[in-house]
Amino acid sequence: MLGLIKGLNVTLKNMVKPKVTYNYPQEPLEMPDRFRGIQYFDPDKCIVCNQCVRVCPTDCISLTGKKNPDPNQKGKVIETYNINFEICILCDLCTEVCPTEAVVMTNNFELSTYSRDELFKNSEWLFANDENIRSENTLNPIPVKKPTGGTPS
Amino acid sequence: MIRTEEMLLNVGPQHPSTHGVLRLLVKVDGERIVETEPVIGYLHRGTEKLAEDLTYTQIIPYTDRMDYLSAMTNNYAVVHATEKLMGLEIPERAEFLRVIVMELNRVASHLVWMGTYLLDIGAMSPFLYAFRDREQILDLFNELCGARLTYNYMRVGGVKWDAPKDWIGKVDHFVSYMQKQMKEYHQLVTGNEIFIQRTKGIGVYDQETAINFALSGANLRVTGLNWDLRKDAPYSIYEQFTFDVPVGEVGDLYQKYLCRMKEIDESLKIVAQAVANFPSEGKIMGKVPRVLRVPEGEVYVGIESPRGELGCHIVSKGKDKPWRIKFRRPSFYNLQILPTLLKDENLSNLVAILGGIDIVLGEVDG
Amino acid sequence: MNTLLLYLGPVILLLIVLGFVTYAILAERKVIGWIQGRIGPNQVGPWGLLQTVADIVKLLIKEDTIPKNADKTLFKLSPIIAFVPAFVVLAVMPFSSQIQFTDIGVGLLYYMAISSITTIGILIGGWASNNKYALLGGMRSAAQMISYEIPLVMSVVGIVLTVGSLNLNDIVEAQQKTWFIFPQIIGFVVFIISSVSELNRTPFDLPEAESELVAGYHVEYSGFRFAFFMLAEYVYIFAMSSLTTVLFLGGWNAPFGFTFLPGIVWFIIKFSVVVFFLYWVRATMPRIRVDQLMQFAWKVLLPVALANIILTTLLKEVPFLTHYY
């Protein structure tokens, strides 16, 4: 009997404690800086090194590059860049290997749509997703020549 | 003459108390269970087979999804096995971070167990209190590695992120908060007469049975065997910390509960020590080649996950991908004892005994 | 005029009861929410006031499904059998010295007798669904309700002996000086435990034990029929809390002579305290096991209730003891 009364006491005390729930859809949730949300992609920085495609554990990234239109510059520029968010697990490996921080994480996480097709995001959409970009990204930046072609953003 | 008939009751895969998608075919005679047959595989994703096609770094996010309540320990199992095979040196700071997150994860996992177990027994509030406190751990993890459940935090050779500014202080604050909260849980649950009635003397098995069924973790320790891989086969830097291994005596559900609650206390002790001795600076990644090529050979490591001995067996043929990887998933082994325990029990004890085993279906089904 | 009131009165009571049920559900969710560190429903209407209304509308416009192999007649009949007694028992309840529908001599007995009919509805519902979980829930329900009815009746015998009447009005009148909760404290404890059990609420919610039997006897019910079971459950909370107030908390009598508030207000205050207690218990306790439940009823509650009867008789009849009573 005593244990039950103690329990009743605990629940009564908790009744007047401040509430811990968030008013989420009305008030946006603030995520810490390191939060792994939807990627932001900057086509101007990309050097088409293909590392993100190779490291992706779920093969959700696909990209194609083309020769740099400027005949004086070497290397390639990005033509298409798609991330399939149906299978992306937001594991952070692509941003980890990207040497130029072309693909970085943002704090945005709202991905729900009415159609699965809408989860296939192209480079324009990813470029437009430019809010709340994470400040620290690549772990071991590899010194590469500054990407050529296009203006740095 | 009254004629009675046995009834085949299908519990799950969509049932509130099977902790996921476990299915139990239960033969009942009235409310007495005659026979139970667990059917698993509804959450099978073939992690081990998939891993054969993935590099060692790519396996880590997959392990997050096995035992999704303690992804940190799963991360550590695969990372530790790889490091052992490669003979890598891990910086001290990285080891401290690993121990802190693993022990915090153990606390979070046990809190979920405690909450859902009481929900199985029928009390609703402890569940929400447990999730309220676990939320603080998840917030700490979110700040550290950017995710709340699938951390993908550890890397071969170290950890991905260093602790952010003030993070260690927050962990310290959480430890003292949680120690205070534990008293409340004991008041609310431990002394509750109905809870004691529901759990004391239920689902008893002896040490020999436990060993024969290859049980591990709290399921084994509750029978009185002091077997904790953190002490008996120390890995990482656990030798530096002083902590006790709580053991039970009779192996019933109540002692399982007490064991797990004491394990939370011990984990908090370890975290407190790790925070106190946390190296002020140092690297978080050891010297690791860019492309991990693991030398040819075999390795098995067993670590103490919240659910028991989590083993990782890697066979490497010298490529950047494992030739074969096998996880000893503690929930899967612990589940084997269920039909034996359930025989001739009351139907109400089904959820109590199943909950007491503490399974995570992501881990059972692999 | 009187004839009009005769027909209109029950309709008004039904509306009051429906209003109570609507807001009792909301209050329950709010109270349990606060206890659990949440704020409860707050989306539909200001402060969530229209949440239950929205839920009821949802239940009403839902497709009415009947399992193919169910016994259709009984399946349809059982929510009605479960609900009607819940409402009928309210007829004898004295809400204040004026507001009462029938003042019959055996009011207490009437309540106990009629309320046990609901068990049949639940049992039929569980059986007619042709579902194993529902069957188990129905069986548990029958066993539990019948077992707990006995201590429930036995626990109030002490009051009946003291007052010398089964009439609820007389019982309230007898409590003008002291409420029966004080002299009949043993009876009160037995009564409150058995009444929680009769209401099928935590810690005795075995017939609908969510974690074991999914939803118990009403697992196959949907839409309006499900709403009727819920309605019956909450109307019983109304009835049982009223009965507790009348039997043990002095009904409409004002405590300490605070007669500046009318009797009905005192009734509502005491009644609300009892309802809150039910919510509070629900948020705290785990569920008891079915065999322990039976043992508790027959081995603990019944002997205690019987002892209470003997004690009361001694106190009432033995000459030198009556002085203290």
Side-chain angles (χ1 to χ4, degrees):
Chain A
M1 206 63 189
L2 193 69
L4 297 178
I5 291 162
K6 265 190 201 164
L8 284 171
N9 186 25
V10 169
T11 43
L12 195 65
K13 258 194 254 161
N14 271 288
M15 193 167 157
V16 290
K17 276 189 190 168
K19 307 295 164 242
V20 293
T21 44
Y22 301 111
N23 193 7
Y24 164 55
Q26 275 83 29
E27 292 162 23
L29 277 184
E30 287 287 319
M31 284 296 170
D33 179 58
R34 284 177 184 177
F35 185 75
R36 311 203 299 251
I38 308 156
Q39 288 94 335
Y40 162 77
F41 176 69
D42 189 346
D44 297 339
K45 283 187 186 167
C46 181
I47 53 169
V48 201
C49 64
N50 226 19
Q51 283 203 62
C52 51
V53 177
R54 269 185 285 137
V55 83
C56 180
T58 58
D59 290 337
C60 67
I61 306 177
S62 55
L63 62 82
T64 55
K66 62 181 177 193
K67 267 188 87 175
N68 200 322
D70 188 349
N72 300 328
Q73 306 275 14
K74 274 196 218 161
K76 284 178 163 183
V77 291
I78 193 82
E79 194 174 14
T80 63
Y81 190 91
N82 302 308
I83 298 181
N84 183 358
F85 280 100
E86 268 184 78
I87 53 174
C88 176
I89 55 174
L90 295 166
C91 65
D92 208 10
L93 290 177
C94 50
T95 64
E96 190 175 315
V97 295
C98 185
T100 59
E101 297 199 6
V103 55
V104 292
M105 288 286 181
T106 68
N107 278 4
N108 310 327
F109 54 87
E110 283 160 336
L111 260 175
S112 54
T113 60
Y114 282 101
S115 161
R116 297 172 69 171
D117 301 344
E118 289 165 36
L119 289 171
F120 196 80
K121 308 290 192 194
N122 58 13
S123 64
E124 284 82 39
W125 192 93
L126 292 168
F127 182 54
N129 179 32
D130 55 358
E131 279 169 15
N132 305 323
I133 292 173
R134 193 163 78 176
S135 56
E136 36 180 348
N137 278 292
T138 184
L139 252 195
N140 307 309
I142 304 145
V144 281
K145 263 192 286 174
K146 208 175 177 321
T148 49
T151 47
S153 58
Chain B
M1 175 90 182
I2 302 168
R3 191 175 61 93
T4 59
E5 234 175 81
E6 280 176 9
M7 185 165 81
L8 188 69
L9 191 65
N10 183 30
V11 181
Q14 308 290 333
H15 185 280
S17 301
T18 51
H19 295 261
V21 285
L22 176 68
R23 180 176 169 215
L24 296 170
L25 287 168
V26 188
K27 253 189 209 152
V28 284
D29 179 8
E31 289 228 8
R32 189 177 64 89
I33 297 169
V34 181
E35 202 186 320
T36 321
E37 189 191 334
V39 183
I40 61 167
Y42 291 90
L43 200 58
H44 180 63
R45 290 152 301 183
T47 310
E48 288 167 10
K49 188 68 195 167
L50 282 167
E52 290 169 19
D53 232 4
L54 300 168
T55 63
Y56 287 93
T57 320
Q58 288 175 332
I59 297 171
I60 301 166
Y62 276 83
T63 60
D64 283 339
R65 283 149 182 86
M66 279 196 326
D67 178 357
Y68 39 75
L69 292 182
S70 68
M72 287 293 186
T73 42
N74 294 347
N75 278 189
Y76 186 74
V78 68
V79 162
H80 182 46
T82 317
E83 281 161 1
K84 201 171 172 188
L85 204 54
M86 291 175 78
L88 288 176
E89 280 278 319
I90 315 301
E92 200 193 7
R93 195 177 165 94
E95 289 281 27
F96 266 91
L97 278 168
R98 283 177 175 185
V99 167
I100 291 174
V101 294
M102 278 197 288
E103 291 309 317
L104 282 179
N105 215 171
R106 192 185 311 276
V107 174
S109 173
H110 280 339
L111 279 178
V112 173
W113 175 80
M114 197 271 288
T116 52
Y117 188 60
L118 275 136
L119 200 63
D120 286 349
I121 297 217
M124 207 170 22
S125 294
F127 173 71
L128 283 125
Y129 295 157
F131 269 66
R132 177 189 66 196
D133 296 337
R134 173 179 178 252
E135 197 69 8
Q136 308 221 3
I137 302 178
L138 296 192
D139 283 344
L140 286 172
F141 284 164
N142 198 3
E143 220 171 296
L144 179 69
C145 60
R148 292 160 50 83
L149 204 66
T150 50
Y151 310 115
N152 190 16
Y153 178 60
M154 299 189 194
R155 292 290 183 274
V156 176
V159 292
K160 170 153 177 160
W161 298 102
D162 200 353
K165 219 172 127 235
D166 299 337
W167 191 77
I168 292 296
K170 282 181 191 167
V171 172
D172 201 27
H173 181 76
F174 170 77
V175 170
S176 46
Y177 166 80
M178 194 62 218
Q179 276 162 346
K180 202 181 88 231
Q181 287 302 109
M182 288 305 287
K183 287 195 191 109
E184 195 177 289
Y185 288 127
H186 284 305
Q187 277 181 3
L188 181 60
V189 181
T190 312
N192 190 309
E193 279 84 357
I194 300 177
F195 177 71
I196 295 172
Q197 282 277 310
R198 282 298 300 270
T199 50
K200 217 165 212 168
I202 310 291
V204 186
Y205 50 87
D206 58 11
Q207 199 167 311
E208 202 192 331
T209 324
I211 293 169
N212 287 345
F213 273 101
L215 301 189
S216 49
N219 283 308
L220 175 66
R221 287 193 287 271
V222 74
T223 59
L225 188 68
N226 189 335
W227 178 256
D228 187 318
L229 291 169
R230 290 175 294 177
K231 285 253 189 213
D232 294 304
Y235 51 91
S236 196
I237 47 166
Y238 277 108
E239 276 169 318
Q240 294 186 18
F241 304 114
T242 48
F243 61 98
D244 299 323
V245 179
V247 290
E249 283 150 25
V250 279
D252 64 355
L253 293 172
Y254 186 63
Q255 299 223 327
K256 259 186 211 175
Y257 162 82
L258 287 180
C259 264
R260 292 203 169 103
M261 292 306 263
K262 279 183 200 144
E263 268 175 44
I264 295 181
D265 291 337
E266 298 303 322
S267 287
L268 290 173
K269 257 195 229 166
I270 297 174
V271 174
Q273 288 172 47
V275 165
N277 302 325
F278 193 70
S280 52
E281 53 191 16
K283 281 172 40 164
I284 53 158
M285 276 297 269
K287 278 208 171 84
V288 183
R290 280 207 55 236
V291 178
L292 290 171
R293 282 194 197 283
V294 176
E296 202 169 328
E298 267 187 52
V299 70
Y300 175 84
V301 295
I303 64 163
E304 188 71 27
S305 100
R307 263 151 277 280
E309 180 182 349
L310 174 66
C312 179
H313 186 179
I314 295 180
V315 183
S316 168
K317 297 273 182 192
K319 301 265 169 50
D320 58 343
K321 294 164 183 163
W323 183 77
R324 174 80 171 90
I325 189 162
K326 156 90 180 137
F327 291 103
R328 185 206 186 271
R329 309 185 302 271
S331 293
F332 175 72
Y333 288 82
N334 292 348
L335 186 62
Q336 312 297 319
I337 200 172
L338 185 70
T340 320
L341 290 184
L342 282 181
K343 198 157 168 35
D344 289 329
E345 285 285 353
N346 187 299
L347 193 62
S348 304
N349 285 342
L350 179 129
V351 286
I353 291 173
L354 175 65
I357 294 175
D358 188 17
I359 51 165
V360 169
L361 262 293
E363 198 178 47
V364 172
D365 291 343
Chain C
M1 185 61 206
N2 263 340
T3 357
L4 188 68
L5 204 65
L6 196 68
Y7 289 106
L8 212 58
V11 176
I12 293 167
L13 180 67
L14 182 64
L15 290 177
I16 290 172
V17 168
L18 289 180
F20 163 80
V21 170
T22 313
Y23 287 99
I25 293 174
L26 180 73
E28 170 158 29
R29 293 175 65 179
K30 279 277 182 193
V31 167
I32 292 181
W34 293 332
I35 285 178
Q36 295 168 346
R38 307 180 280 123
I39 45 175
N42 66 341
Q43 296 294 310
V44 190
W47 202 67
L49 281 176
L50 296 175
Q51 179 66 49
T52 322
V53 179
D55 289 344
I56 292 170
V57 169
K58 187 208 90 177
L59 284 174
L60 291 186
I61 59 175
K62 231 177 158 179
E63 188 192 349
D64 181 33
T65 52
I66 298 178
K68 198 178 158 206
N69 290 327
D71 189 325
K72 293 202 177 48
T73 324
L74 291 180
F75 190 82
K76 288 175 187 165
L77 197 61
S78 97
I80 302 167
I81 300 178
F83 170 69
V84 170
F87 185 60
V88 169
V89 292
L90 291 177
V92 290
M93 206 53 69
F95 297 108
S96 81
S97 47
Q98 286 93 39
I99 308 170
Q100 191 187 15
F101 290 90
T102 22
D103 185 13
I104 54 174
V106 287
L108 188 56
L109 192 65
Y110 169 85
Y111 181 101
M112 299 296 174
I114 298 289
S115 71
S116 55
I117 297 176
T118 297
T119 318
I120 300 172
I122 289 174
L123 187 62
I124 289 177
W127 185 80
S129 307
N130 201 4
N131 179 304
K132 290 163 186 168
Y133 288 111
L135 181 65
L136 283 169
M139 289 193 314
R140 280 184 182 188
S141 169
Q144 174 185 340
M145 303 267 253
I146 291 166
S147 305
Y148 274 83
E149 218 130 73
I150 296 160
L152 188 74
V153 175
M154 290 299 175
S155 64
V156 295
V157 169
I159 290 177
V160 175
L161 286 174
T162 318
V163 182
S165 166
L166 279 165
N167 187 312
L168 291 173
N169 271 323
D170 294 347
I171 291 173
V172 177
E173 293 292 341
Q175 295 181 77
Q176 265 170 359
K177 282 213 183 73
T178 37
W179 300 353
F180 280 135
I181 182 170
F182 301 113
Q184 289 288 330
I185 183 73
I186 303 168
F188 176 72
V189 171
V190 175
F191 180 84
I192 208 91
I193 293 172
S194 323
S195 69
V196 172
S197 176
E198 281 289 290
L199 292 169
N200 283 343
R201 292 178 64 82
T202 315
F204 304 103
D205 59 341
L206 292 123
E208 46 197 293
E210 198 207 330
S211 55
E212 294 153 29
L213 300 181
V214 191
Y217 60 89
H218 57 53
V219 69
E220 291 286 0
Y221 281 87
S222 73
F224 195 53
R225 292 179 222 286
F226 173 75
F228 255 84
F229 275 120
M230 287 311 275
L231 196 61
E233 196 182 318
Y234 278 89
V235 173
Y236 263 121
I237 290 178
F238 184 88
M240 199 55 96
S241 307
S242 306
L243 189 68
T244 315
T245 313
V246 165
L247 291 181
F248 290 98
L249 301 179
W252 66 80
N253 289 318
F256 316 116
F258 288 164
T259 44
F260 54 88
L261 287 173
I264 184 77
V265 175
W266 279 115
F267 187 88
I268 291 170
I269 291 171
K270 293 169 186 175
F271 169 85
S272 308
V273 170
V274 178
V275 172
F276 174 79
F277 178 75
L278 290 174
Y279 297 160
W280 185 19
V281 167
R282 180 176 168 195
T284 312
M285 309 258 169
R287 185 181 306 117
I288 201 162
R289 208 174 62 217
V290 63
D291 52 327
Q292 291 163 353
L293 177 93
M294 291 303 180
Q295 283 180 17
F296 189 61
W298 293 102
K299 293 187 184 167
V300 180
L301 287 183
L302 190 57
V304 171
L306 288 173
N308 182 49
I309 294 172
I310 295 166
L311 194 69
T312 314
T313 2
L314 284 177
L315 286 172
K316 197 167 155 58
E317 294 301 329
V318 178
F320 71 91
L321 283 176
T322 30
H323 178 67
Y324 299 100
Y325 190 55

